[in-house]
Amino acid sequence: MVKEVSAGAVVFTKDHEQLLFLMIQNKNGNHYSFPKGHVEQNESIIDTAKREVLEETGILFEIVSDKMETITYLMPNGIYKDVYYFLGEAQNQKITTQQSEVLHAGWYNYEQVLTYLTYDNDKKIFVKMAQRIKK
């Protein structure tokens, strides 16, 4: 069985006491998700998550929970993919989109995230992780 491993993050910021979450619209497939990408050789999944979020959106973040969530799914090409997500608080808010991979990136409130996320697995992870944010 062939398997791929990716890592990313559910990143949030507070704007006038409202929580906003970072999402991207991928060029490959047009789907909405959280920033993530492939783990490179000799790279930890935490380092991958931080690198991918920064590359895709220009956002730096600090991990705020010691619990991560994992999604496993079968891709159309027959490869199983494990995606590890961390919960992080943004250290900056100005988004710089990676033009080669991302159509759009933005900050969304809780209800908008649930509306725009394409995949149910992402919605389940998001609800779990959002509950861990200290208000």
Side-chain angles (χ1 to χ4, degrees), residues 67-111:
K67 293 181 182 176
M68 68 179 171
E69 296 293 334
T70 308
I71 297 173
T72 300
Y73 58 92
L74 182 61
M75 297 190 312
N77 62 5
I79 295 174
Y80 280 92
K81 186 170 201 168
D82 288 338
V83 183
Y84 296 90
Y85 282 108
F86 297 91
L87 180 63
E89 185 167 6
Q91 303 300 298
N92 60 311
Q93 287 147 352
K94 184 179 183 319
I95 294 171
T96 307
T97 305
Q98 182 183 29
Q99 299 296 314
S100 60
E101 292 184 25
V102 179
L103 279 175
H104 173 76
W107 294 106
Y108 298 84
N109 68 33
Y110 187 91
E111 291 76 22

Side-chain angles (χ1 to χ4, degrees), residues 21-58:
F21 299 90
L22 182 64
M23 282 201 321
I24 63 168
Q25 183 181 16
N26 293 275
K27 269 193 174 175
N28 182 13
N30 270 352
H31 61 280
Y32 281 86
S33 65
F34 301 109
K36 67 178 182 305
H38 293 98
V39 176
E40 294 180 356
Q41 192 170 359
N42 299 321
E43 185 178 47
S44 72
I45 57 174
I46 289 174
D47 289 342
T48 299
K50 288 186 172 192
R51 176 181 55 78
E52 287 289 342
V53 171
L54 182 61
E55 285 177 1
E56 292 183 357
T57 66

Side-chain angles (χ1 to χ4, degrees), residues 58-70:
I59 300 296
L60 295 163
F61 71 93
E62 183 177 317
I63 294 174
V64 296
S65 173
D66 58 358
K67 293 181 182 176
M68 68 179 171
E69 296 293 334
T70 308

